[in-house]
């Protein structure tokens, strides 16, 4: 209710004091519109690992196709915040979103040819902000799914102009039938500063300006990367971002690993420094050097903000939230519950013990600091080993949940 109440005062400043679960709301109404954008701030304190202390979970938002009404009055915005101007968002993690926009994006056309279609730049799809003008978005993230037909669709932000986006990421696979500007993190960004950001989702757009990180980009980009593949129906698709004639982009210390579906030559002025595309991919980043992942890691070794100890270079300034479903242990629990349904509770304990030893080597430590919870053991500090040692006290019918050390719960 308090989150929903932000719409009653769009210029105030707000701070998360607890994790907000929106799963009970079937279709959340966006806060702020193009006509009346949000101009205040929404922030959350960070933990020492740069993850937020709290998050917003299970946003479900669906915008149905409606006829054009008037300029900035169509209610085609599809994000937690439909539009923002001069706003600040800090430490806002949107987890497990479900974003659907059935408004069909198309080309604008032209009055001279009697093909003009109004409102084509008044739609968006994103987890956090649909349209962001002159705003600051930092330490924010988005996970979940997106199925949209709209233009300007991005995992975190639909469209950005004159804004700064830093230390943000998205893992959403963005699937849009919109005609243009579809990206993993941001759909379209003009005169925008993007620093220390990444996207891992696969991106599909209807026609043009489709990018692994940003669909269309002009401005300054530093310390960014994208790992997903991109697909477009006609042109201007690339593994990191696409551009247009008449726009400039300066990029430094950035790379991309995915493939693009079409061969496309960047037609704008792109200045790059220490930027790479994975060798052997169809990336369409014509100003980037092609290199193996090993060579990319070598090029980023020793640079501030980068860690090259993993499979590929990652950013040290971003706190990535891991879900229990991402861990081997959660996979074993799912298998265990399947056995429980078929054979009873004894098999659950057997496979849990076996998989814990198999994945981490000992039963009193769980990957990613997850703890097994049961009504008989409400103290989250108890180890899984204590759970198993006391299993004789547990009733035959039980439920499993996982508590993280920061207090968030993953069912």
């Amino acid at each position: 209710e308090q989150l929903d109440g932000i719409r009653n005062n769009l210029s105030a400043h707000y701070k998360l004091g607890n994790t907000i679960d929106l799963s009970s709301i079937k279709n959340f109404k966006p806060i702020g519109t193009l006509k009346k954008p949000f101009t205040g701030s929404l922030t959350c304190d960070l933990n020492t690992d740069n993850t937020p202390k709290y998050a917003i979970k299970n946003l479900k938002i669906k915008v149905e196709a409606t006829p054009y009404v008037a300029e900035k009055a169509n209610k085609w915005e599809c994000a937690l915040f439909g539009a923002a101007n001069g706003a600040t968002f800090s430490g806002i993690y949107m987890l497990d979103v479900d974003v659907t926009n059935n408004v069909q994006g198309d080309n604008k056309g032209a009055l001279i040819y009697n093909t003009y279609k109004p409102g084509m730049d008044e739609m968006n799809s994103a987890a956090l902000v649909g349209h962001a003008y002159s705003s600051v978005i930092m330490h924010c993230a988005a996970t979940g799914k997106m199925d949209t037909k709209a233009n300007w669709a991005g995992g975190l932000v639909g469209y950005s102009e004159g804004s700064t986006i830093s230390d943000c990421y998205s893992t959403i696979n963005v699937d849009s039938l919109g005609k243009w500007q579809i990206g993993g993190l941001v759909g379209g960004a003009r005169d925008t500063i993007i620093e220390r950001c990444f996207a891992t989702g696969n991106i599909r757009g209807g026609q043009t300006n489709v990018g692994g990180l940003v669909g269309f980009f002009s401005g300054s980009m530093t310390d960014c990367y994208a790992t997903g593949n991109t697909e477009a129906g006609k042109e201007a698709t690339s593994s990191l971002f696409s551009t247009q004639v008449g726009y400039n982009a300066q990029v430094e210390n950035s790379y991309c690993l995915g493939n693009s579906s079409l061969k496309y030559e960047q037609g704008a002025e792109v200045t790059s420094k220490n930027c790479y595309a994975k060798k052997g991919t169809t990336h369409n980043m014509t100003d980037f050097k092609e290199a193996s992942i090993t060579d990319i890691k070598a090029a980023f070794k020793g640079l501030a903000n980068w860690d090259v100890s993993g499979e590929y270079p990652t950013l040290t300034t971003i706190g990535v939230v891991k879900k229990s479903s991402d861990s081997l242990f959660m996979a074993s629990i799912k298998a265990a519950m399947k056995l429980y349904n078929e054979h009873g509770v004894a098999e659950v304990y057997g496979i849990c013990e076996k998989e814990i030893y198999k994945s981490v080597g000992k039963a009193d430590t769980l990957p990613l600091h997850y703890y097994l919870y049961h009504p008989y053991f409400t103290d989250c500090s108890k180890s899984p080993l204590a759970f198993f040692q006391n299993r004789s006290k547990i009733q035959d019918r039980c439920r499993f949940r996982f508590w993280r050390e920061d207090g968030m719960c993953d069912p």
Side-chain angles (χ1 to χ4, degrees):
E1 292 181 359
Q2 290 179 332
L3 178 66
D4 191 60
I6 293 177
R7 69 182 76 254
N8 299 322
N9 189 347
L10 294 172
S11 62
H13 303 282
Y14 304 90
K15 186 175 182 179
L16 289 187
N18 209 336
T19 292
I20 298 175
D21 190 342
L22 299 174
S23 58
S24 62
I25 301 177
K26 294 183 179 180
N27 190 5
F28 189 89
K29 181 182 177 182
I31 299 169
T33 64
L34 288 168
K35 194 171 185 178
K36 294 183 178 180
F38 177 67
T39 60
S41 66
L42 179 63
T43 64
C44 181
D45 291 336
L46 300 180
N47 296 306
T48 56
D49 64 353
N50 289 327
T51 58
K53 292 184 179 297
Y54 311 106
I56 298 174
K57 302 171 63 174
N58 301 312
L59 169 73
K60 294 189 292 290
I61 182 169
K62 185 175 183 179
V63 174
E64 295 294 355
T66 55
Y68 178 83
V69 177
E71 184 178 1
K72 296 183 178 180
N74 300 291
K75 298 181 179 180
W76 290 347
E77 302 93 344
C78 188
L80 179 68
F81 289 84
N85 194 334
T88 296
F89 301 90
S90 177
I92 306 303
Y93 276 37
M94 303 296 300
L95 305 181
D96 298 318
V97 303
D98 186 351
V99 177
T100 303
N101 192 340
N102 288 322
V103 179
Q104 180 61 61
D106 204 342
N107 294 319
K108 293 182 180 181
L111 288 172
I112 191 173
Y113 298 115
N114 198 31
T115 58
Y116 179 66
K117 296 181 179 180
M120 292 300 101
D121 55 357
E122 296 182 13
M123 60 185 68
N124 58 57
S125 301
L128 182 59
V129 187
H131 274 60
Y133 295 99
S134 303
S135 296
V136 174
I137 302 169
M138 55 186 176
H139 289 289
C140 296
T143 71
K145 61 182 179 179
M146 180 179 298
D147 187 2
T148 175
K149 298 178 181 179
N151 299 328
W152 280 336
L156 187 70
V157 179
Y159 175 75
S160 167
E161 185 173 320
S163 299
T164 297
I165 303 173
S166 60
D167 301 298
C168 295
Y169 77 90
S170 171
T171 64
I172 295 176
N173 293 325
V174 180
D175 192 348
S176 176
L177 295 177
K179 288 292 185 180
W180 34 262
Q181 301 201 19
I182 317 296
L185 185 75
V186 185
R190 295 185 182 181
D191 301 323
T192 293
I193 297 171
I194 301 181
E195 300 175 322
R196 301 178 302 279
C197 293
F198 74 87
T200 61
N202 295 318
I203 316 303
R204 185 180 71 164
Q207 182 170 315
T208 187
N209 291 134
V210 178
L213 188 74
V214 187
F216 164 84
F217 176 70
S218 71
S220 173
M221 180 182 295
T222 307
D223 294 335
C224 293
Y225 68 94
T227 64
N229 298 318
T230 60
E231 179 182 347
K234 187 177 180 181
E235 60 186 8
T237 174
S238 64
S239 299
L240 194 67
F241 65 84
S242 67
T243 57
Q244 294 177 352
V245 174
Y247 294 92
N248 297 320
Q250 295 80 44
V251 193
E252 184 173 357
N253 297 340
S254 299
Y255 72 90
C256 53
L257 301 181
N259 277 293
S260 293
S261 62
L262 301 171
K263 189 66 177 176
Y264 157 72
E265 295 291 332
Q266 296 278 20
E269 183 64 32
V270 177
T271 302
S272 63
K273 180 181 178 181
N274 198 44
C275 294
Y276 300 87
K278 182 182 176 182
K279 190 174 183 179
T281 61
T282 305
H283 49 81
N284 294 330
M285 298 304 301
T286 52
D287 293 274
F288 284 24
K289 299 177 182 178
E290 291 191 343
S292 66
I293 293 181
T294 300
D295 290 338
I296 294 174
K297 289 173 66 175
F300 283 74
K301 185 177 181 180
L303 295 181
N305 308 320
W306 289 96
D307 176 13
V308 298
S309 62
E311 180 183 355
Y312 48 78
T314 56
L315 292 162
T316 60
T317 60
I318 298 177
V320 179
V321 171
K322 299 289 187 180
K323 287 194 59 180
S324 54
S325 57
D326 296 330
S327 70
L328 291 173
F329 183 73
M330 188 57 184
S332 74
I333 289 296
K334 289 182 178 179
M337 294 313 295
K338 183 176 184 295
L339 284 176
Y340 170 76
N341 293 331
E342 296 174 353
H343 305 294
V345 73
E347 294 290 343
V348 175
Y349 304 131
I351 192 170
C352 286
E353 287 178 306
K354 178 181 177 182
E355 291 300 321
I356 288 176
Y357 277 104
K358 180 179 177 181
S359 61
V360 298
K362 53 183 178 179
D364 61 347
T365 303
L366 281 178
L368 310 177
H369 305 291
Y370 280 86
Y371 292 94
L372 192 60
Y373 168 85
H374 185 274
Y376 277 85
F377 302 98
T378 56
D379 181 1
C380 290
S381 66
K382 287 186 178 295
S383 71
L385 184 59
F387 175 86
F388 292 121
Q389 288 173 338
N390 291 277
R391 61 179 180 264
S392 60
K393 299 179 182 179
I394 300 174
Q395 296 173 335
D396 285 345
R397 290 192 173 275
C398 59
R399 294 183 64 191
F400 291 95
R401 302 182 81 184
F402 296 87
W403 285 84
R404 294 199 335 217
E405 287 185 325
D406 61 10
M408 292 183 183
C409 175
D410 292 322

